[in-house]
Amino acid sequence: RADPITQIPIPHASRDSFVGNPNAGLVFWVVPWGAGLLLLPAALWRGLRSSAWPLAVSALFAALLGTGGTTPIPRLLLGAAYDILTLDRFTFWATVLVLPLYGMTLARLWGEAAAVRFGPRGVALLRAGVGLAFLAASLWTANLAALRAMQPDRIDPVPITAFLDKDQHDRWRYLTLGFGDQMAWISAQTAALTVDGNYHSARRLPELISTPVERLEGAKFRGIPGIGSLQQFLTVPEKYHLKYIFSNDRFYDPLLFFSGWHEVEWLENGVVVWERDDVPPLPPELPQPAYPLYQRLMWGTLPPMALLAAAFALLLPRQSRRRPRPRGRTVRLAGAIDAVLLRWAAVPDGTRRSGGQRRWRERAARLTARLRGRRRLAAVALAVTIGVTALAVAGVNPRAQTPAGAVVAYYDALDVHDFRAAWARLDPVARPTLDRYLLDRSVRDGLVTSYSMLDSVLIAGTRETADAATVDVELVYVTSLTEYRVRRSHRLNRRADGWFIVPDPVDPAEPDERFARRASVAYASLGRRLPTTGTTTYGDVLDRPELSVASARLV
């Protein structure tokens, strides 16, 4: 209440609908659960029927909150905190809480009853199948980043920290661009301060909590609002004592250049250092938020005291139930609470149960007997549900079914620089070789290709026949200075595997002269006559012309 979170809501994919955004469902649901999704229904059902039902309810509640915007329940439960929190934390805790229930389920699956029903060979196959499923899910998750890059390549922090430590460069603040999660590691290696923050709710600068940007280093992923937030710091860096910028992404180069920054040097790790002149250093003492003494004492004492109390409780001998109750009102109350907790925490051994547990198990047995004859019907219904869901997902997946989806998939591959996947979207009858395709792309679109990011793909219109289609698309490219809208028309052909894009023809024109002399004192080297994947000829290697002006008269 004394220090509320006033951060403007920051968009996060963990709050999206996992049905409408399958990528978010993959990252924030499938990857954390892994092969445990196969055991989750049985584990929750077994946990709810046992004395571990508080644990099962907690796991179910956390898993439900982790579904984000798939259902309206998390927003109703969390209220205003829904737009501030990242909901993947609930999925993480659900995967931790459910582990004992997994153990109960697996022990039941290959226990004595399973050995009688399936035999020793069946139980061995069941164990091997579960083990292989968990192993395959773990290996797939560990190598997911290699299949599609989610973070920049590893950056060596030593050159950056060495630059900040020398010549008192740590007297100014710095900013990293294009570092991803490694910005936190860089910050931990140096005493210099940064204007950015890895935990958005703890940032104190008003410009950071009043804009929907999680981190300035990835401002381009928030489009124009993110770049606008970054511009506030680049145009008036003296306000924040910001003097050095470490850039690992050339996307920001035009914005840095036109904001008055200049390159200082290239570090050994490939990071470019930009500097701004006339920025005053930080004052000797920075203002800090004033917290009451009792709050500081609480933060410093209560957490370690809780751990020490838990360790001390584990070392105490267990009190026998036959021991007479001690006297004293407070001691008797503590003993009664302890007896209740022991009764709830006791593992059922199948011989002695309390009245509540016995009634609960009798109801569960009656329900199980009632449903026993309908297992086959339930299995058929489950199979039909899975099949209908798969067909629905395939039906709403435009990338494999419609010409517009093929075009969107093509530009999605280009956006993540997966050029081989983009080349595979071209018509196999008319497409060039992969090397030729990469070469043709390198000589087209100039600065937009070098310094822009594809923000969105808008389908303007589609004309479709039986075996051919034409898709009009509007591409929105965002640079660090402005956005560009490009309209293109793509022809597509239907093949046995789906729709494929007919590649655009390459302009075969070549310059007439290699070295043109004009009437004025100006020389233009036109470079190669034709882009080729072959070996560069000697005639293509030209020294840069040098011009010496002995005298000049300006009019």
Side-chain angles (χ1 to χ4, degrees), residues 193-272:
L193 301 180
T194 175
V195 296
D196 207 353
N198 197 41
Y199 182 58
H200 57 270
S201 298
R203 300 179 298 192
R204 295 294 173 179
L205 292 178
E207 291 81 1
L208 290 177
I209 64 175
S210 60
T211 55
V213 178
E214 184 177 5
R215 292 183 301 205
L216 291 175
E217 68 86 25
K220 72 175 186 178
F221 298 108
R222 295 303 176 197
I224 299 300
I227 296 175
S229 302
L230 178 61
Q231 278 182 321
Q232 299 181 51
F233 293 87
L234 299 184
T235 53
V236 285
E238 59 275 2
K239 178 181 178 181
Y240 312 100
H241 307 279
L242 174 62
K243 187 176 181 63
Y244 300 106
I245 292 180
F246 301 96
S247 177
N248 191 45
D249 191 344
R250 64 180 182 180
F251 172 88
Y252 302 100
D253 289 359
L255 178 60
L256 293 172
F257 180 80
F258 287 105
S259 298
W261 294 76
H262 60 273
E263 292 187 16
V264 177
E265 61 177 304
W266 285 68
L267 300 179
E268 301 172 4
N269 53 7
V271 174
V272 184

Side-chain angles (χ1 to χ4, degrees), residues 27 33 42 80 124-125 209 268 406 459 477 490 537:
V27 174
W33 284 107
L125 291 177
I209 64 175
E268 301 172 4
I459 303 299
Y477 289 98
H490 291 282
T537 62

